[in-house]
């Protein structure tokens, strides 16, 4: 398999920077997901690597070789397009055979056919060889596109929102299938999506992109626990993003509440700090323990029952005014395994060890 | 209660379906049956074979076939570069350019023939001695078919499929050959077949520009029926014509079904910014403008040329009757206007009823849909001849009204082609929403469907009027005397006389008629962004 290196790539559309001095490395056999809102330049990045979009600056190395002068058809790539771009006038098997004509010129017609059928079997469509592509469902078309892209054994496979047009249950299933197929082959892959759950389900590393720039690249667990900016944290789905005050003694206060002290081992800035708190860091404290630990007093506002868990949004109530329905309240988001209904009063403790600093707003 | 509602509804439907069915049955099917009866019913098989074996007619058949083939090939070769730039480039004024190419298609055949003829006269070549004039006229007409159909499809071709091919290792040309060209080919062949069909059934162009050696089945039907009064020969020729057209239509539909590709319509158009593109686009448009503008320019120039140099003498002469014509040229034009108004009105009324029935679907709707397209396939001359035979018993053929009625039949497909899609595009749920808000079915139809149908009807009716003004084939059979003598007939007769004076009048009348029809077509095009849905 091949590794890919993008070095300070820049693409301009008029005055707008679609890709802005972006650098990214994909190791051999690694699956990297590029996530970002639509219009962030993800697809352009793929087109740059494919050679379909010329670079204004920077360079791309595939397998250690600078491919600046190499046209698309000689870059040894696979690319799965959004909406698949299957050849509408060819049968399913002819679609899969198409790339083999160029990649392995020594292959006979029957060998090509055998390889194509083999791949169709792998994606579970062995019986579909002679179907017209117009008659395929979205999920089937997606599998044919995958088989077509994999057939010539490309050094790098790029997938541009391949599940974008499919409904949710099918997506969940196809992510599993994709992960299996890519791991089996040991495929180096670059996977572009705007959906962070797809990225978490598939990738070795996740790169977050916005306005043509790479904001963060990391393994999924690390990226989730330590997002490096509020944009990244929000995009990944974090909801407890607060401004807290940290004193020189390590005491944390939010909205007038003392949340406790950060553990000695953690290094934290002092002052007004923007932080993110993962949902599992928030837990419900029994009323009896009230005096034992510092806890937020909250009134439940909304409850969503999702896969056995009560997902709760609760409003923090001002200290000493437990019953008042405060305006402009600060929201906390937490999960509960016990039934919760709107209007319930909950005591919420925060595990400060899971606090992650996004930004120091100002020093004391 | 429920039963009563259903009864009222089905009664309403039959009431709507009846007029178009009667109209088409009487005015399309009956004449066709008359032709079939005359050919198959009254001649024995041996007689038919005998007629078909006449060397003169075999020669006519071959000529018809190969001139249509050459016309189709030439039109495609000339049309494709234009279709390419219109299909692939995005540029300012594209809509105007696209519309301009429709004008030749709607111009009356005799006007185009007059333009080509005056161009040949200008360079001093007798057009009847050469096939080039006929071919030039066919290309002039039909290039719109190639440009609109192929160019329109080209614009929707999915560019990412070409990119996918390149990613898979195809060189740019290889990707173009195996993807773009392969997907384009069925559409090109389909458009070419249409041009072949139009050239195969060409009548006015051959009558004006053809010589002794350039007779087609179409002109021979006319000659045998009118000049020689040999109805049995004319009927057998009509039969051949009907069979040939049916086979072509069938072949075309089978071919389309087998090869056509539904495009998702996400083609990426190239905006013209690079010099390379500017030069390419500019040169194609400029060459096309010169090639297609020159005959028109010469027509106008020649029409202004009188005995005493340039002036409006020819136009002024249109107001005085010459011995050759039963009325003055302006009188003929007045007749044409009168007929166009009746034909368009009739086509709109019948077309609306037919469109609603077709859109409602069901067995009647489907049958009617196939039925209303029939006038497109059978040639105008066959239709005219059918009227001659079919209405002889009632002596209706002397009637003035057969001319606008035949025009309405010919114009009906145009009305349908623009109204049916408009009605189909209305979402049934919107009508249901109107019903839930308290609108009665008729009220709901008028608030939801009518606003859309209106535009389609107006456009289709306008086209039907334009077609009526220029109609030559059926009119040649049916026009009798001063009251039904139309402008195209006047142009034809004036052109046939040697000498510059009447020729000048013919050209002046051509300019007037051409200008009227082109203006009508331009207004329709301009009002409707997507253009003629028939193309």
């Amino acid at each position: 398999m091949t590794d890919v290196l993008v070095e300070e790539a820049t693409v301009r559309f008029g005055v707008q920077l679609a890709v802005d001095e972006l650098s990214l490395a994909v190791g051999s056999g690694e699956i990297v997901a590029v996530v970002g809102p639509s219009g962030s330049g993800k697809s352009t990045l793929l087109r740059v690597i494919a050679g379909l979009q010329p670079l204004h600056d920077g360079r791309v190395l595939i397998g250690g070789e600078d491919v600046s002068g190499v046209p698309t058809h000689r870059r040894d790539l696979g690319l799965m397009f959004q909406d698949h771009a299957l050849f509408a006038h060819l049968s399913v098997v002819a679609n899969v055979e198409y790339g083999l004509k160029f990649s392995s010129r020594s292959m006979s017609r029957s060998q090509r056919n055998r390889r194509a059928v083999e791949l169709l079997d792998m994606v579970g469509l062995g019986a579909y060889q002679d179907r017209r592509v117009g008659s395929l469902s979205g999920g089937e078309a997606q599998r044919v596109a995958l088989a077509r892209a994999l057939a010539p054994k490309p050094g790098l496979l790029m997938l541009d929102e391949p599940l974008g047009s499919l409904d949710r249950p099918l997506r969940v299933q196809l992510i599993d299938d994709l992960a299996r197929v890519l791991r089996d082959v040991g495929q180096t892959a670059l996977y572009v999506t705007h959906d962070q759950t797809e990225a978490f389900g598939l990738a070795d590393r996740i790169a977050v992109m916005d306005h043509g720039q790479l904001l963060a690249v990391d393994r999924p667990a690390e990226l989730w626990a330590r997002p490096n900016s509020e944009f990244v944290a929000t995009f990944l789905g974090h909801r407890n993003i607060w401004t807290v005050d940290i004193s020189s003694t390590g005491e944390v206060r939010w909205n007038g509440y003392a949340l406790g002290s950060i553990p000695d081992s953690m290094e934290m800035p002092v002052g007004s700090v923007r932080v993110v708190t993962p949902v599992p860091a928030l837990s419900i404290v029994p009323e009896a323990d009230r005096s034992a630990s510092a806890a937020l007093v909250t009134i439940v506002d909304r409850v969503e029952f999702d896969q056995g868990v009560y997902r709760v949004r609760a409003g923090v109530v001002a200290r000493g005014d437990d019953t008042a329905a405060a305006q402009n309240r600060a929201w906390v988001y937490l999960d509960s395994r016990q039934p919760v209904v709107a209007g319930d009063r909950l005591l919420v403790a925060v595990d400060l060890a899971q606090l992650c600093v996004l930004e120091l707003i100002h020093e004391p | 209660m429920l039963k009563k509602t259903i009864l009222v509804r089905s009664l309403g439907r039959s009431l709507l379906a009846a007029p178009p069915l009667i109209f088409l049955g009487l005015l399309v099917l009956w004449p066709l049956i008359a032709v079939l009866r005359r050919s198959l019913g009254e001649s024995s098989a041996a007689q038919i074979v005998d007629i078909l074996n006449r060397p003169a007619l075999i020669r006519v058949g071959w000529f018809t076939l190969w001139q249509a083939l050459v016309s189709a090939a030439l039109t495609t070769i000339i049309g494709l570069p234009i279709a390419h730039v219109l299909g692939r480039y995005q540029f300012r004024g594209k809509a105007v350019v696209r519309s301009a190419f429709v004008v030749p298609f709607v111009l009356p055949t005799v006007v185009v023939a007059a333009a080509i003829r005056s161009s040949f006269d200008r360079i001093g070549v007798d057009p009847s001695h050469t096939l080039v004039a006929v071919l030039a006229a066919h290309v002039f007409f039909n290039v719109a078919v190639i440009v609109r159909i192929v160019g329109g499809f080209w614009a929707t071709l999915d560019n990412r499929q070409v990119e996918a091919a390149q990613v898979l290792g195809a060189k740019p040309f290889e990707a173009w050959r195996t993807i773009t060209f392969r997907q384009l080919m069925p559409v090109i062949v389909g458009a070419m077949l249409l041009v072949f069909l139009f050239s195969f059934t060409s009548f006015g162009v051959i009558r004006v520009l053809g010589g002794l050696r350039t007779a087609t089945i179409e002109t021979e039907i006319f000659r045998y029926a009118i000049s020689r009064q040999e109805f049995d020969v004319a009927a057998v020729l009509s039969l051949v014509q009907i069979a040939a057209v049916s086979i072509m239509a069938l072949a075309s539909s089978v071919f389309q079904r087998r090869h056509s590709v539904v495009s998702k319509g996400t083609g990426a158009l190239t905006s013209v910014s690079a010099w390379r593109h500017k030069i390419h686009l500019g040169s194609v448009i400029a060459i096309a403008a010169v090639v297609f503008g020159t005959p028109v320019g010469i027509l106008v120039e020649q029409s202004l040329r009188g005995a005493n140099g340039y002036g409006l003498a020819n136009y002024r002469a249109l107001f005085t009757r010459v011995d050759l014509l039963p009325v003055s040229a302006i009188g003929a034009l007045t007749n044409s206007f009168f007929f166009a108004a009746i034909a368009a009105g009739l086509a709109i009324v019948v077309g609306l009823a037919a469109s609603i029935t077709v859109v409602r679907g069901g067995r009647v709707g489907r049958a009617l849909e196939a039925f209303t397209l029939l006038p497109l396939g059978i040639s105008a001359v066959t239709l005219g001849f059918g009227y001659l035979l079919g209405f002889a018993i009632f002596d209706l053929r002397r009637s003035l009204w057969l001319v606008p009625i035949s025009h309405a039949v010919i114009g009906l497909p145009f009305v349908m082609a623009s109204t049916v899609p408009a009605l189909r595009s209305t979402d049934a749920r919107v009508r249901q929403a109107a019903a839930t808000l308290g609108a009665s079915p008729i009220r709901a139809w008028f608030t939801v469907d009518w606003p859309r149908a209106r535009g389609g009807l107006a456009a289709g009716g306008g086209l039907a009027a334009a077609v009526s003004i220029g109609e030559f084939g059926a009119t040649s059979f049916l026009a009798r005397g001063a009251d039904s003598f139309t402008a195209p007939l006047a142009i034809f007769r004036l052109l046939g006389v040697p000498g510059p004076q009447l020729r000048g009048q013919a050209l002046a009348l051509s300019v007037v008629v051409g200008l009227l029809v082109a203006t009508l077509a331009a207004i329709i095009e301009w009002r409707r962004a997507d253009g003629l849905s028939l193309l």
Side-chain angles (χ1 to χ4, degrees):
Chain A
M1 281 299 147
T2 320
D3 60 323
V4 179
L5 203 59
V6 179
E7 289 182 346
E8 304 193 335
T10 299
V11 176
R12 272 184 290 269
F13 293 140
V15 289
Q16 196 200 344
L17 280 164
V19 177
D20 186 3
E21 293 189 16
L22 183 144
S23 298
L24 176 67
V26 183
S28 180
E30 190 184 28
I31 301 174
V32 173
V34 180
V35 298
S38 51
S40 57
K42 313 178 297 268
S43 296
T44 310
L45 175 63
L46 288 199
R47 293 175 63 82
V48 162
I49 298 172
L52 295 168
Q53 173 65 51
L55 272 176
H56 290 102
D57 214 344
R59 59 179 192 158
V60 175
L61 293 97
I62 299 178
E65 183 204 350
D66 186 347
V67 293
S68 302
V70 181
T72 300
H73 65 274
R74 281 201 259 117
R75 288 196 179 189
D76 182 28
L77 299 168
L79 175 53
M80 262 180 82
F81 288 78
Q82 210 169 351
D83 296 327
H84 324 307
L86 293 177
F87 304 135
H89 61 297
L90 299 178
S91 69
V92 164
V93 74
N95 261 277
V96 181
E97 280 172 9
Y98 188 89
L100 295 171
K101 278 185 285 192
F102 310 107
S103 66
S104 7
R105 290 192 184 275
S106 56
M107 261 185 163
S108 71
R109 187 181 279 266
S110 63
Q111 281 172 316
R112 287 204 297 263
N113 185 268
R114 218 171 307 138
R115 168 98 178 120
V117 173
E118 198 179 288
L119 275 148
L120 283 172
D121 278 333
M122 185 171 75
V123 297
L125 291 178
Y128 280 59
Q129 298 174 38
D130 298 323
R131 288 269 290 269
R132 293 291 298 258
V133 295
S135 67
L136 300 176
S137 72
E140 289 161 355
Q142 193 268 348
R143 286 154 192 260
V144 174
L146 178 63
R148 182 179 73 176
L150 286 174
K153 298 185 179 158
L156 168 72
L157 177 66
M158 300 190 288
L159 307 99
D160 188 1
E161 308 241 4
L163 308 180
S165 54
L166 307 175
D167 54 23
R168 201 178 156 75
L170 196 58
R171 271 160 75 155
V172 172
Q173 190 203 335
L174 285 173
I175 290 172
D176 288 349
D177 289 356
L178 257 176
R180 174 179 59 79
V181 170
L182 296 182
R183 303 273 176 224
D184 282 358
V185 186
Q187 181 71 53
T188 310
L190 199 56
Y191 187 103
V192 159
T193 176
H194 66 270
D195 182 293
Q196 81 279 8
T197 54
E198 279 175 31
F200 279 107
L202 202 68
D204 296 314
R205 282 191 304 147
I206 296 176
V208 184
M209 225 180 135
D210 192 37
H211 295 303
Q213 291 177 321
L214 214 54
L215 302 180
V217 194
D218 214 333
R219 287 199 292 276
E222 274 75 12
L223 193 65
W224 175 257
R226 279 185 293 280
N228 61 0
S229 68
E230 185 160 347
F231 177 85
V232 171
T234 314
F235 191 79
L236 294 178
H238 280 293
R239 306 183 80 179
N240 292 317
I241 298 171
W242 306 330
T243 306
V244 297
D245 292 309
I246 302 176
S247 71
S248 52
T249 56
E251 201 129 317
V252 181
R253 298 184 71 80
W254 181 48
N255 263 27
Y257 279 96
L259 293 180
S261 301
I262 36 179
D264 292 342
S265 56
M266 270 176 83
E267 264 188 44
M268 282 292 201
V270 173
S272 187
V273 182
R274 198 80 175 142
V275 295
V276 57
T277 321
V279 166
L282 273 61
S283 55
I284 299 167
V285 189
E287 194 77 23
D289 290 357
R290 183 169 185 183
S291 53
S293 64
L296 300 164
V297 181
T298 67
I299 304 288
V300 174
D301 176 66
R302 244 172 61 78
V303 181
E304 210 177 283
F305 185 68
D306 177 27
Q307 306 191 351
V309 179
Y310 297 85
R311 307 210 186 276
V312 178
R313 179 171 84 156
V316 177
V317 187
R319 168 135 294 180
D321 185 16
D322 288 9
T323 50
Q327 302 288 316
N328 301 325
R329 60 177 47 154
W331 299 113
V332 292
Y333 296 86
L334 67 155
D335 289 352
S336 165
R337 296 214 159 269
Q338 305 304 319
V340 174
V341 295
D344 283 359
R345 224 174 76 114
L346 294 181
L347 296 182
V348 176
V350 181
D351 176 9
L352 294 179
Q354 293 185 47
L355 219 60
C356 170
V357 175
L358 297 171
E359 191 188 352
L360 173 63
I361 296 173
H362 57 79
E363 298 185 19
Chain B
M1 183 64 202
L2 185 69
K3 251 189 189 159
K4 193 183 154 205
T5 319
I6 291 173
L7 193 72
V8 167
R9 240 182 233 178
S10 67
L11 197 71
R13 274 186 202 183
S14 336
L15 275 178
L16 264 181
L21 282 175
I22 294 169
F23 182 85
L24 288 164
L26 197 65
L27 299 169
V28 179
L29 215 52
W30 174 246
L32 267 184
I33 290 169
V35 171
L36 293 181
R37 264 199 350 187
R38 180 74 203 202
S39 54
L40 295 176
E42 291 181 23
S43 312
S44 69
Q47 278 171 309
I48 293 176
V49 171
D50 193 44
I51 291 172
L52 289 175
N53 270 333
R54 288 190 194 175
L57 292 184
I58 291 176
R59 217 174 38 235
V60 165
W62 275 117
F63 176 75
T64 309
L65 198 67
W66 81 260
Q67 67 80 19
L69 264 173
V70 175
S71 296
L74 276 177
T75 310
T76 311
I77 291 167
I78 292 170
L80 277 183
I82 305 167
H84 174 231
V85 297
L86 286 180
R88 288 281 84 176
Y89 288 135
Q90 189 60 53
F91 55 93
R92 218 180 305 152
K94 184 172 168 178
V96 177
V97 174
R98 261 168 55 89
S99 307
F101 276 104
V102 177
V103 171
F105 186 70
V106 293
L107 280 182
T109 50
V110 283
V111 171
V112 172
I116 300 289
R117 179 153 195 172
S118 60
S119 306
F120 274 81
D121 287 345
R122 191 84 172 82
I123 53 171
V125 176
D126 186 345
S128 62
H129 287 223
T130 162
L131 180 63
V132 178
V134 170
L135 295 177
H138 285 169
V139 171
F140 188 89
F141 259 120
N142 292 317
V143 81
V145 176
I146 302 287
V147 168
R148 293 296 284 254
I149 295 180
V150 179
F153 182 77
W154 210 324
T156 67
L157 267 191
D158 185 358
N159 196 41
R160 285 167 320 153
Q161 288 182 34
V162 176
E163 292 182 349
Q166 290 184 27
V167 173
L168 286 167
K171 292 193 187 96
F173 176 72
E174 192 78 1
W176 186 85
R177 188 180 65 81
T178 52
I179 308 300
T180 309
F181 181 68
R182 283 292 308 279
Q183 298 189 354
L184 216 49
M185 211 247 317
V187 179
I188 296 175
V189 172
M192 222 171 136
L193 251 166
L194 211 54
V195 176
F196 178 81
L197 185 67
F198 288 149
S199 307
F200 192 89
T201 58
S202 164
F203 178 70
V205 164
I206 311 266
R207 290 272 287 158
V208 174
L209 297 173
L212 287 172
R213 293 168 168 278
T214 48
T216 60
I217 299 177
E218 199 82 346
T219 57
E220 287 298 275
I221 294 172
F222 181 78
R223 199 166 67 91
Y224 277 100
I226 300 295
S227 312
R228 300 178 62 160
Q229 300 275 318
E230 290 181 40
F231 279 16
D232 44 346
V233 178
V236 170
L237 284 175
S238 295
L239 194 68
V240 172
Q241 187 80 317
I242 292 168
V245 168
S246 310
I247 290 169
M248 275 182 264
L250 200 71
S252 160
S253 89
V254 168
F255 182 82
Q256 294 291 325
R257 208 171 316 140
R258 202 168 293 169
H259 293 282
S260 72
V261 158
V262 180
S263 182
K264 281 184 182 157
T266 48
L269 297 184
T270 316
S271 63
V272 182
S273 50
W275 273 107
R276 187 164 59 93
H277 294 151
K278 277 184 187 160
I279 291 168
H280 178 201
L281 174 69
S283 53
V284 169
I285 301 286
I287 291 171
V290 169
V291 167
F292 291 96
T294 303
V296 177
I298 292 177
L299 172 69
V300 174
E301 185 249 341
Q302 294 280 309
S303 76
L304 291 169
R305 197 180 203 159
N308 315 316
Y310 290 108
L312 290 173
N314 289 328
Y315 290 85
R316 253 177 258 123
L318 294 179
F319 290 91
T320 29
R321 192 176 80 83
V322 291
D323 289 340
L324 193 64
L325 307 180
V327 285
S328 71
I330 289 297
L333 192 59
T334 314
N335 285 345
S336 283
F337 277 147
F338 178 59
F339 292 153
I342 296 171
L346 210 56
I348 285 175
V349 171
V350 177
L352 178 61
S355 298
I356 294 171
T357 312
V358 166
V359 171
R360 290 271 160 92
R363 222 173 308 156
V364 181
R366 275 196 299 276
L368 198 63
E369 185 165 26
F371 210 23
T372 47
L373 289 177
L374 212 57
L376 264 192
I378 53 171
S379 68
V381 166
T382 308
L383 199 69
F385 183 48
Y387 280 31
L388 211 58
L389 294 176
F391 297 122
I393 32 171
F394 309 117
D395 207 35
L396 267 175
R397 64 190 159 112
R398 299 214 166 274
S399 161
L400 169 71
W401 297 100
L402 273 188
V403 174
I405 284 173
S406 70
H407 290 183
V409 169
I410 294 167
L412 185 63
F414 292 89
V415 176
M416 299 284 293
S418 58
T419 311
V420 169
L423 281 176
R424 280 217 171 111
S425 71
T426 57
D427 193 339
R429 284 171 306 177
V430 181
R431 210 179 305 119
Q432 286 156 8
T436 61
L437 291 168
S440 70
I442 290 175
R443 183 71 191 273
W445 190 88
F446 270 99
T447 42
V448 177
D449 296 74
W450 173 244
R452 281 172 184 260
R454 204 170 42 192
L457 279 178
L463 269 181
V467 168
S468 166
I469 290 176
E471 213 290 328
F472 183 64
T475 317
S476 301
F477 279 85
L478 302 172
R480 291 285 174 275
D483 288 344
S484 55
F485 197 78
T486 67
L489 295 183
I491 293 172
F492 175 74
R493 215 178 272 185
L494 290 169
L495 271 179
V497 184
Q501 228 218 308
L502 294 181
R503 173 75 45 96
Q505 267 200 55
L507 300 185
L509 187 56
S510 295
V511 170
V512 172
V513 172
L515 207 59
L516 283 169
V517 171
T519 310
L520 203 54
I523 291 171
I524 295 166
E525 268 286 317
W526 175 64
R527 289 294 300 272
R528 221 165 34 143
D530 58 345
L532 306 174
S533 43
L534 201 71
L535 284 184

